[in-house]
Amino acid sequence: MLAFISALPPLFIVFGLMVVLFLCFGAANGALFQVVPTWFLKEVGLLTGIVGAAGGLGGFLLPNVLGAMKQWLGSPAYGFWLFAIVLGGAMLTARRLQAQAVEDVPRANGMVERSG
C-alpha cells in the first residue's frame, strides 16, 4: 500500500479527479445554501451569513492548522486527525441536540392540546 502512496499518478488523471472533486464541492455548497431558506423561513439572511462565515473560517483555519502541525510534528496528518476528532464531536453534539428537539416536540404538542 505504501508503494502506491509514494507514486504520483499522471497529471491528466490528477487533473480529472480534481475537477470531479471541485464539482462535488460546488454541488454540496449549492445544496447547503438551498436548504437554509426551506428550514429557516424568517431568518434566511442571518443563517446564510452564518453559513458563509463558517465556510470562511474553515477556509482560513484548515490550512493554518495543517501547516502548524507539519511544522511542529513533521506531518500534516495530525492536523487531519485533529479535524476528524472535532468533526466527530460536532456530529455527536448535533445528533444529541436533534434527538432532544424531537423529544421536546411531542411534549409541547401535548401541552397545547391539554391547555385547549
Side-chain angles (χ1 to χ4, degrees):
M1 173 115 173
L2 291 176
F4 294 115
I5 293 173
S6 64
L8 290 174
L11 180 62
F12 68 92
I13 292 176
V14 172
F15 183 74
L17 290 174
M18 289 187 71
V19 167
V20 170
L21 176 73
F22 294 147
L23 288 172
C24 291
F25 281 161
N29 187 27
L32 178 64
F33 279 101
Q34 183 66 31
V35 167
V36 168
T38 60
W39 279 79
F40 304 98
L41 298 174
K42 296 181 181 177
E43 301 92 5
V44 174
L46 174 68
L47 268 294
T48 301
I50 290 173
V51 168
L57 180 64
F60 171 78
L61 198 59
L62 181 65
N64 286 327
V65 169
L66 293 178
M69 290 294 180
K70 182 171 169 85
Q71 185 178 7
W72 294 338
L73 302 172
S75 173
Y78 298 108
F80 284 114
W81 279 108
L82 177 66
F83 278 110
I85 291 168
V86 169
L87 179 63
M91 288 174 56
L92 287 174
T93 302
R95 191 115 168 144
R96 285 185 186 155
L97 289 173
Q98 181 184 21
Q100 183 180 1
V102 168
E103 203 175 275
D104 290 343
V105 168
R107 288 185 198 155
N109 287 340
M111 293 173 76
V112 170
E113 290 172 6
R114 281 187 225 137
S115 65

